Amino acid sequence: MSLSTARRAVGTLAIAAAVFLAGCQSDVMKGYIGQPLESVIIDYGPPTSVIELGRGQRAYQWSKISTNAVAGSTSGEYRDTRRGTRYEETTTPGYVEEQECFYTFYATRSEGRWYITNFRKPKLECE
């Protein structure tokens, strides 16, 4: 396999992976369309907010906060100076990364119950 063919194959694989990952959460949310609101509440708990849209429509929103600890690193190198060889060290501190994702379902009232009619696609990082 030539280098250009290998690069194209890797590029195609990366695009396919991005498309696959981009649909994950949206596919789950799509499965609730037509279901009563209670189906979502049973799986994810009560919504964090409810927005009245008028004409028997509401938006129900769930919030999820994810945290990720990113480790710090230390690297170094020996350098020759006028005073001899010295080891110089560089330290990068670790940190905690936090991301908040919102998942919104739209619902319509019918026969005294709320039914999921649509959803807002989450931002890419939340898929």
Side-chain angles (χ1 to χ4, degrees):
M1 181 184 301
S2 71
L3 183 58
S4 63
T5 304
R7 284 183 182 159
R8 271 187 260 136
V10 169
T12 302
L13 183 60
I15 290 169
V19 168
F20 173 75
L21 291 174
C24 294
Q25 191 60 38
S26 293
D27 289 343
V28 171
M29 294 174 79
K30 194 180 298 181
Y32 287 103
I33 293 178
Q35 299 292 320
L37 176 66
E38 295 85 0
S39 298
V40 183
I41 293 172
I42 287 169
D43 290 343
Y44 298 102
T48 52
S49 64
V50 178
I51 303 159
E52 292 289 340
L53 302 175
R55 298 186 185 181
Q57 296 182 341
R58 288 182 180 170
Y60 291 88
Q61 192 169 66
W62 282 259
S63 172
K64 179 181 177 189
I65 298 175
S66 301
T67 56
N68 183 33
V70 179
S73 65
T74 302
S75 63
E77 63 179 298
Y78 288 97
R79 293 190 177 216
D80 291 323
T81 66
R82 285 188 273 179
R83 296 184 185 170
T85 302
R86 291 184 142 184
Y87 183 75
E88 290 185 8
E89 189 173 88
T90 304
T91 302
T92 304
Y95 60 94
V96 175
E97 185 177 71
E98 190 175 274
Q99 179 174 332
E100 186 172 18
C101 294
F102 294 96
Y103 301 96
T104 306
F105 287 95
Y106 297 104
T108 301
R109 189 169 180 86
S110 176
E111 299 176 15
R113 293 178 76 186
W114 291 94
Y115 289 89
I116 304 299
T117 56
N118 207 347
F119 64 93
R120 178 176 289 233
K121 191 171 181 174
K123 62 185 177 179
L124 184 60
E125 302 87 51
C126 298
E127 286 280 1

